[in-house]
Structures are given as C-alpha cells and as structure tokens.
Amino acid sequence: MQLDDGVIKTREVTQWKGLHLFHFDQSSCSQKVRILLSELGIEFTPHPINLMRGEQRSDWYLGINARGLVPVLVHDGIVHIESNDIIEYLDRQFAEKDSSFLPTTDAEQQKMRELMDLEDQLHQDLRIVTFTYLAPDLDNHGPAPDDSLDFIGRFHNAFTELDSLLQTQPYLLGGRMTLADISWFITLHRLNLAGYPFGNHPQLQEYFSRVAGRPAFRKEVAAGPILLRFGGSVYRRLNRLFRNSLPRDYGRWRSEQPAA
Ligand SMILES: N[C@@H](CCC(=O)N[C@@H](CS)C(=O)NCC(=O)O)C(=O)O
C-alpha cells in the first residue's frame, strides 16, 4: 500500500533515491520482505528499527509510518507499507518474467492474494504465539496471553487448508513457488519453533522442510543476534518445561473440540 505524500511528516525520506527498507531482525513481516529481496537479488539500503527498544514509536519514525510498524519500504521517495503489498510491489517492479513469484493468470493471482490475506489475518495470533511461547515479553511488547485457545484453532484450520492444497501440488498455488509461499513461510517457521505439532499436517510439514532448504529462506531463519538465538532457545526450553507449552495447549484445544 502506497502512502499519500501528504501524510509523510519526516520529509527527508521523500528525497531518498533507490530502495530503502525499515525493518527489524526478528519481525516476521520484515523477514518476508528480506526473503523476497534475497531471492530476486535486489540491492537495498537497510535501516534497522529496534522494536525491543521502542524505536518504532520515535517521532521521526512515526513521521514515516504513523502506525509505528515495520516493515516500511521507501522507493525513490515513495513510502510503501504492509509486507504482503510490499513483496507484490517489489516483484512487479524488479522481477524478470522467469524469476517472478507472481502467478500468470488473474484467477491465480486472486487466489494468491486470498491466501496472503489469510496469513495477514493471523498476524495477531502469531504475536500471541511469539510472546506466549517463544520470547519473554520485554517492555510489555505483546498482547497479554489469552486464556482462550481460539488462536490455536485458527492456526489448525488454516494449516488444514494449506495441507489439503499441498496434497496434489508442490507449492500452495501449483507447480511454481509464488508470493503466497514466501508470505506463509515465517508463520510456519515460528509455529514450528514454538513446538506446534505439524505431524497433524504431513504435507505441510514436508513442504516446510523443503522450502526451508532454499538459501534465501535458510539465511533468514538462521539470522538474528547470537544472544537472541541461543538465549532464546534456552528460554524456549525452560518455558516449555515449566510454564507455557504449545504442544500441551494444542492437546487441550483438541480435547475441547466436539467429536467429528
Ligand atoms: N500487516 C502488517 C503488520 C506489521 C506489523 O505488525 N509489524 C510488527 C512486526 S512483525 C511491528 O512493527 N510491531 C511493532 C509494534 O507493535 O510496536 C504488515 O504485514 O506489514
């Protein structure tokens, strides 16, 4: 989504040339954009915004994106927000016909956007997963963990849908990887880290390992400050043992469902 020039209060960015990305290492939406940039070999100037330190709430940054969220792309002075829109914009601007991640027909593009919208709708649920099972809630950053396990049901339903698409084809839209695969990857990665039982969706599990083998995706999941990666994994283990366990909560959610 392109922002109107009139809403940009930090005027200096409107003079910038080339591609600039405001992003954060561990932000799922930023990871999507970095995967596409890497897949297409697009050069850009990175501008890290540290969400843990609240840099997204500085007046300077709010003057670029009043929502105070990353990622933001600035291309030749024009500001774009919303990660799924940004990856589609980048693909349209920079991909060659044979490197593009856009399906060719209008109907497939429509289906691709529906799958990407579903991913976007689960973003709040992804935050719950992240701050409940994966990362200590530094700086009161995430929503309070909810007693209701409805968010697990929403992931279960979405993964069941993706799994059924993959019964007959290697990627979500068919034989070729598209932006929908890039959009969903980080959600799958995060749920996997949190211990979501992907054995219930075998096609999706196989697909996730296959896609994770591509260098641009592998680089993204291996990236991040060393403290967060190793400190994070110790925290995850202790959290799972003593406090919050997604596998345990998944079992609880499952047992509350009416028998089919
Ligand atoms: N729908 C937006 C969501 C953007 C978003 O929520 N970004 C998160 C990081 S993944 C953020 O900037 N959070 C900062 C905050 O909530 O203060 C997109 O896809 O770009």
Side-chain angles (χ1 to χ4, degrees):
M1 177 179 154
Q2 183 179 323
L3 293 184
D4 281 344
D5 184 70
V7 303
I8 313 298
K9 305 290 180 228
T10 301
R11 295 303 300 166
E12 65 195 78
V13 301
T14 64
Q15 304 304 314
W16 289 359
K17 293 285 166 237
L19 272 182
H20 297 257
L21 182 70
F22 291 96
H23 68 124
F24 178 59
D25 267 353
Q26 302 301 316
S27 132
S28 58
C29 311
S30 304
Q31 288 179 294
K32 268 186 239 177
V33 178
R34 292 194 303 260
I35 289 175
L36 181 78
L37 288 162
S38 167
E39 278 282 348
L40 292 178
I42 302 171
E43 299 283 327
F44 66 102
T45 307
H47 299 266
I49 297 293
N50 192 323
L51 300 185
M52 294 301 166
R53 292 204 205 110
E55 289 175 3
Q56 73 278 25
R57 293 189 290 272
S58 71
D59 288 344
W60 189 84
Y61 190 69
L62 290 172
I64 301 168
N65 181 5
R67 298 182 188 181
L69 300 173
V70 292
V72 163
L73 180 82
V74 182
H75 183 205
D76 288 340
I78 307 290
V79 178
H80 302 261
I81 62 168
E82 287 299 325
S83 56
N84 284 339
D85 293 347
I86 291 174
I87 59 178
E88 181 163 349
Y89 171 81
L90 285 169
D91 192 290
R92 287 190 187 282
Q93 290 288 318
F94 296 102
E96 304 292 337
K97 196 161 172 265
D98 54 354
S99 63
S100 172
F101 290 94
L102 274 171
T104 41
T105 69
D106 287 350
E108 285 172 327
Q109 289 187 14
Q110 180 55 32
K111 178 70 191 154
M112 181 189 86
R113 285 193 203 101
E114 282 166 23
L115 285 175
M116 291 165 80
D117 286 348
L118 178 61
E119 182 272 344
D120 186 51
Q121 284 154 24
L122 293 178
H123 188 67
Q124 195 55 28
D125 293 327
L126 189 65
R127 287 175 62 110
I128 297 179
V129 167
T130 302
F131 293 110
T132 306
Y133 305 109
L134 290 175
D137 190 357
L138 300 174
D139 194 23
N140 194 23
H141 189 74
D146 194 335
D147 265 342
S148 148
L149 297 177
D150 291 354
F151 67 97
I152 294 184
R154 288 189 285 274
F155 280 116
H156 173 88
N157 293 342
F159 292 161
T160 302
E161 182 181 339
L162 300 187
D163 191 74
S164 80
L165 291 173
L166 294 164
Q167 304 277 333
T168 51
Q169 55 195 31
Y171 297 104
L172 296 176
L173 265 293
R176 270 184 53 218
M177 181 177 270
T178 66
L179 297 177
D181 299 289
I182 294 178
S183 178
W184 270 101
F185 177 77
I186 294 297
T187 296
L188 298 176
H189 169 59
R190 215 144 291 167
L191 270 284
N192 191 42
L193 273 182
Y196 181 91
F198 274 103
N200 293 307
H201 315 284
Q203 308 296 333
L204 189 59
Q205 188 173 39
E206 182 281 322
Y207 156 87
F208 172 66
S209 323
R210 184 158 35 87
V211 175
R214 284 172 80 105
F217 292 73
R218 206 170 47 230
K219 186 166 87 199
E220 204 45 68
V221 300
I226 210 139
L227 193 70
L228 225 127
R229 273 188 284 148
F230 292 105
S233 101
V234 171
Y235 169 80
R236 281 197 294 279
R237 272 165 224 270
L238 293 177
N239 192 21
R240 216 172 278 173
L241 263 178
F242 298 114
R243 293 180 55 211
N244 302 311
S245 157
L246 178 55
R248 200 165 51 224
D249 285 350
Y250 181 88
R252 246 179 70 206
W253 172 79
R254 224 38 225 245
S255 69
E256 287 164 7
Q257 301 314 298

